[in-house]
């Protein structure tokens, strides 16, 4: 986790815009992209109460400063009042291409994304202000535990020495794919083999811990990993 | 009526898994946010009622 405020300040000094992608659950604890000065922030919404679903469907989040709101694709829902002064929500600033030139439209909102976004809205309503912070802290604190325990194993190197949120990379003494296969026999999915993205990284494993993992499960992870080495 | 209108300080609609490890938050103050997210505070029943009510107001293919 890094603070990009200084880099963003430099970008703004040469009139460049900062675009950043963030992990939604981390924002219960961490500084928001807006607070860092990011101009356009994007995220994937899967972690906000949506299923893994074999890769989809998911939905995206895109936020920008008010001055760029007209450049956003899609449409914005605005809050207003009707003629009887009752609160109302209307679609506003929507590109007309979505209605009159649908076949050539560059942006469209689909019902599956809407359903995922609705799930996220319900998820966040249930968590609320304090639950969101608690969820974020649980992710980070449990990750710290597994990271600390793994750092005690001689043959393993933790690559992210600075604080991480809920994912970190470890270097193994042999191929990560072999370890993943070995650990799966004990019903543990160890993580992502980074060799799939770059073959020079085939001994690197990306490990993730969420609020759902218990100390008991993490201790088992450490034990099974030691056996697999 | 928006979901924020029923918000009452201190309410929460979920019970999260408990913290069973003894570790500390490792981020420096510079990385931490200094305000909380603008989310409503609701009980589970508040949320169920709100979204059920909303669904019946929806103009959709299910309505004649």
């Amino acid at each position: 986790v890094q603070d990009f405020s200084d880099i963003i300040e430099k970008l703004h000094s040469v009139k460049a815009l900062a675009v950043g992608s963030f992990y939604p659950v981390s924002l219960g604890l961490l500084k928001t992209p807006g607070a860092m000065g990011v101009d356009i922030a994007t995220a994937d919404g899967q972690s906000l109460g949506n299923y893994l679903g074999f890769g989809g469907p998911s939905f995206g989040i895109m936020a920008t400063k008010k001055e760029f709101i007209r450049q956003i694709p899609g449409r914005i829902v605005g809050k207003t009042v009707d003629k009887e002064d009752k609160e109302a929500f209307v679609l506003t600033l929507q590109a007309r291409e979505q209605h009159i030139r649908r076949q050539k439209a560059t942006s469209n909102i689909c019902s599956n994304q809407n359903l995922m976004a609705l799930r996220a809205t319900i998820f966040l309503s249930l968590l609320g202000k304090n639950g969101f912070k608690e969820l974020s802290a649980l992710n980070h604190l449990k990750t710290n535990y597994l990271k600390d325990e793994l750092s005690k194993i001689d043959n393993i190197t933790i690559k992210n020495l600075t604080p991480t949120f809920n994912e970190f990379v470890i270097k193994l003494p042999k191929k990560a794919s072999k370890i993943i296969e070995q650990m799966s026999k004990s019903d543990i999915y160890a993580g992502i083999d980074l060799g799939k993205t770059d073959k020079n990284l085939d001994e690197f494993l990306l490990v993730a811990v969420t609020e759902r993992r218990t100390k008991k499960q993490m201790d088992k992870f450490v034990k099974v990993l030691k056996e697999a080495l | 009526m928006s979901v924020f209108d029923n918000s009452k300080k201190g309410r929460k609609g979920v019970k999260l898994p408990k913290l069973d490890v003894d570790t500390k938050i490792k981020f420096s103050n510079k990385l931490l946010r200094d305000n909380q997210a603008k989310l409503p505070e609701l009980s589970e029943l508040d949320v169920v009622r709100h979204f059920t009510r909303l669904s019946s107001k929806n103009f959709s293919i299910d309505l004649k």
Side-chain angles (χ1 to χ4, degrees), chain A residues 1-3 5-6 27-32 36 79 87 89 118 121-135 137-138 140-142 144-145 148 163-165 211-216 218, chain B residues 1-5 7 9-48 50-51 54:
Chain A
V1 175
Q2 286 172 288
D3 185 357
S5 305
D6 302 342
L27 298 190
L29 279 183
L30 298 170
K31 214 175 188 178
T32 61
M36 280 189 208
K79 188 174 151 183
E87 188 181 60
F89 295 91
L118 175 64
T121 311
I122 297 172
F123 177 81
L124 288 171
S125 304
L126 284 166
L127 276 176
K129 196 180 265 187
N130 297 319
F132 186 53
K133 190 178 177 183
E134 196 186 329
L135 173 74
L138 278 171
H140 176 58
L141 295 170
K142 291 191 176 191
N144 287 346
Y145 177 76
D148 289 347
T164 47
F165 180 65
E211 78 285 357
R212 292 174 63 100
R213 299 285 74 83
T214 62
K215 180 176 179 290
K216 203 175 155 192
M218 290 190 279
Chain B
M1 185 188 250
S2 97
V3 74
F4 285 89
D5 295 328
S7 182
K9 204 174 163 43
R11 283 189 183 168
K12 198 171 72 176
V14 281
K15 198 177 169 195
L16 290 165
K18 65 177 194 311
L19 180 66
D20 52 3
V21 294
D22 184 23
T23 61
K24 297 221 157 43
I25 289 178
K26 294 193 176 172
F27 300 121
S28 65
N29 282 338
K30 204 186 163 206
L31 286 171
L32 294 173
R33 70 184 293 167
D34 48 18
N35 59 347
Q36 274 185 283
K38 285 178 194 153
L39 291 172
E41 294 178 87
L42 305 155
S43 71
E44 187 178 356
L45 194 58
D46 292 333
V47 175
V48 171
H50 176 79
F51 286 97
L54 201 61

Side-chain angles (χ1 to χ4, degrees), chain A residues 14-78:
Chain A
V14 291
K15 292 190 175 164
L17 294 180
V19 181
S21 192
F22 63 97
Y23 180 58
V25 176
S26 72
L27 298 190
L29 279 183
L30 298 170
K31 214 175 188 178
T32 61
M36 280 189 208
V38 169
D39 299 285
I40 303 166
T42 59
D44 177 72
Q46 185 269 321
S47 58
L48 298 175
N50 282 300
Y51 292 113
L52 292 171
F54 299 99
S58 183
F59 73 99
I61 299 169
M62 187 171 176
T64 184
K65 290 179 179 165
K66 207 165 185 178
E67 57 192 290
F68 306 117
I69 210 163
R70 286 180 184 274
Q71 273 90 53
I72 286 190
R75 46 202 182 187
I76 302 286
V77 179

